[in-house]
Each structure stands twice: as structure tokens, then as C-alpha cells.
Amino acid sequence: TFQRQLQQSDCQNALMKKVFDTHMLFLQINQSAAALKHVFAALRLFVGKFPSAFFQGQADLCGSLCYEILKCCNHRSRSTQTEASALLYFFMRKNFEFNKQKSIVRSHLQLIKAVSQLIADAGIGGSRFQHSLAIINNFANGDKQMKNVNFPAEVKDLTKRIRTVLMATAQMKEHEKDPEMLVDLQYSLANSYASTPELRRTWLESMAKIHARNGDLSEAAMCYIHIAALIAEYLKRKGKINVFKTNYASINIIVE
């Protein structure tokens, strides 16, 4: 009935946000496994009808949905884990199709951010969550329609990176009283996202806070200069600034 209104401004409007929030309530309030099955079906229909709401413009809706689905991937019910994994795979595939079969950059980024948040909020990462990641990989390997494109490889790379974040976070907890080892782990994780500036910035900021807390101010400054360089390079590529050239050699000179 309200499809035309929901599609206004490429689905970036107040009515869409209200409808989306209503869908999210069904995941945020405890439901039976039978009820959740219908919620997942409704969300598949919703994403299928309005992909622009998730894969274009602001990433808020995409991020919120990724967070709630991942939370369900850690559910105690095996059937709910399977349904949530299927929905997440469907979501990534829709992202790939929306981008004309080029990439799943947005869902990749938002899923990694959601995993990082859920580690603190819900303590995910156990056998139930690992089982859900395996289900997603199985979907990708068995999807005959996607056999001749790079989508299965992108899904495999995403699940691998999620496992890397989970493993690194577990190691960080083990070494939280060893500042140098902790920063070393943070640095490795930041480097693994060299191609994803927003996530790299997140881990560099975390490194800077650890350095500042330990009184290592020059090291903290180096982290912030790296962040400034990432932002500047991004702005240059977008054509927002005309005259700016930086590399890590010049950053070292600035710090010295």
C-alpha cells in the first residue's frame, strides 16, 4: 500500500526507518523459534523489495540489520541459527546483485563492525557462532547460480576475516595486561584491513587509546597521523581536496 512512499529518496526516508524499526523489534524482543522463522521470511521479502534502503545512501539500516542477524546466528536453537545464516547469505547475495555482481563491500564492512560490537555486547564466538559461519560457507559453495562469479570467494573471505577478528579479540583478552603485546595484536588486525579504511581507522584509534593510557604519546600521535592520512587519501580519491599527497615516509618525517 505504501510502496511508493517507502521508495522516495531511494528508500532514505522517515517512513522507511519506522517500518524497518518495527521489523527489528521482532528480533530485539525474545521470540519462539517458530515465530522467528516467520520474522526471517518477512525480512527476506523486505530486503528483496527495498534493497536501496540497505545498499545505497547511509549505512545505518544495513548495520542494524547485520547486528541483529548475527546475534541470531549465536542463538541456542539450531533451527534459528540455520534460518539466520540463510537470511544473512541472502542479504549478502542481494548486496552482490545490487552492485551489479562486483562486490559485497557494504555488507562486508557492516558485518565486521557488527561482529566487533557483538564481541563486547553478547560474547559471540563460540561453537554455535562458528557453526553458523560454516552454514554460510556451505550456502556459497552450493549456490550453482553463483558458480561462475566471484561471490563465493567474497563470502569465504568475509567469514575468514570474521574468524580472524574473533581469534584476535580472544588473544587481546589474554594479553590485556601486557600493553606491548596488546598493541602488536591491534596493529596486525589494523594491517589486515589495509583495503578497508573505515575498519583500519577503528583499530588504529583503539591502538592510540592504549598508547595514550600508557603514556606513550609519540606512538599515539603516530596512530592519529596514520588516521589523518587515510582520511586525506579517501578525500583525494573522492575529489574533495585537490592538493594533498602523503605516504608513510612523509608521515615519519612529520612525527620526527
Side-chain angles (χ1 to χ4, degrees):
T1 303
F2 296 98
Q3 188 161 332
R4 183 176 57 81
Q5 292 93 323
L6 287 166
Q7 289 175 330
Q8 287 181 353
S9 303
D10 290 325
C11 297
Q12 309 294 314
N13 57 72
L15 181 60
M16 174 59 76
K17 181 70 166 63
K18 289 180 181 178
V19 173
F20 174 78
D21 287 345
T22 303
H23 277 85
M24 289 299 94
L25 276 174
F26 286 103
L27 293 179
Q28 292 161 353
I29 299 171
N30 288 334
Q31 309 285 348
S32 67
L36 281 172
K37 187 174 181 179
H38 294 289
V39 173
F40 292 138
L43 283 167
R44 279 195 297 273
L45 181 63
F46 187 58
V47 172
K49 273 183 173 287
F50 306 105
S52 296
F54 302 96
F55 308 128
Q56 192 167 301
Q58 296 295 318
D60 298 351
L61 302 192
C62 182
S64 297
L65 183 59
C66 287
Y67 179 90
E68 296 299 337
I69 299 175
L70 282 174
K71 200 161 62 173
C72 292
C73 286
N74 203 45
H75 200 275
R76 60 182 176 275
S77 165
R78 187 56 64 94
S79 63
T80 298
Q81 286 177 39
T82 303
E83 290 281 347
S85 301
L87 175 58
L88 195 53
Y89 178 76
F90 172 81
F91 187 72
M92 289 188 287
R93 182 171 168 171
K94 278 293 174 187
N95 188 183
F96 188 72
E97 291 170 353
F98 187 83
N99 286 345
K100 298 179 181 178
Q101 298 194 341
K102 291 180 181 177
S103 70
I104 55 168
V105 171
R106 172 161 291 194
S107 53
H108 182 125
L109 176 61
Q110 295 304 320
L111 282 166
I112 294 294
K113 289 179 72 175
V115 166
S116 303
Q117 189 178 350
L118 277 166
I119 288 168
D121 296 349
I124 64 168
S127 59
R128 291 187 300 210
F129 192 74
Q130 295 289 350
H131 175 72
S132 294
L133 293 179
I135 291 173
I136 292 168
N137 272 329
N138 288 338
F139 279 132
N141 292 332
D143 194 337
K144 293 180 181 178
Q145 292 181 340
M146 292 289 168
K147 190 175 181 180
N148 297 320
V149 293
N150 66 338
F151 178 66
E154 291 216 20
V155 173
K156 186 177 180 180
D157 177 61
L158 173 58
T159 55
K160 182 181 177 181
R161 286 180 179 274
I162 289 174
R163 288 192 174 99
T164 300
V165 171
L166 293 172
M167 183 175 67
T169 305
Q171 290 176 327
M172 286 176 200
K173 286 183 179 178
E174 289 177 16
H175 297 94
E176 58 187 357
K177 293 183 180 178
D178 183 348
E180 291 185 358
M181 187 64 182
L182 184 59
V183 168
D184 228 23
L185 291 167
Q186 294 264 18
Y187 180 70
S188 297
L189 200 54
N191 277 348
S192 72
Y193 283 99
S195 60
T196 315
E198 189 172 345
L199 287 172
R200 195 174 189 197
R201 173 188 171 180
T202 299
W203 292 109
L204 285 168
E205 284 177 339
S206 183
M207 284 173 60
K209 288 175 184 176
I210 295 170
H211 282 310
R213 191 166 62 237
N214 295 326
D216 301 324
L217 301 184
S218 61
E219 287 83 352
M222 178 69 82
C223 291
Y224 285 122
I225 291 171
H226 272 67
I227 292 168
L230 285 173
I231 294 170
E233 286 172 3
Y234 174 81
L235 291 173
K236 185 183 177 184
R237 288 176 187 175
K238 286 285 185 179
K240 302 289 184 182
I241 53 177
N242 295 323
V243 184
F244 192 94
K245 185 176 181 180
T246 185
N247 53 47
Y248 291 113
S250 63
I251 287 172
N252 289 329
I253 292 168
I254 293 169
V255 171
E256 290 168 4

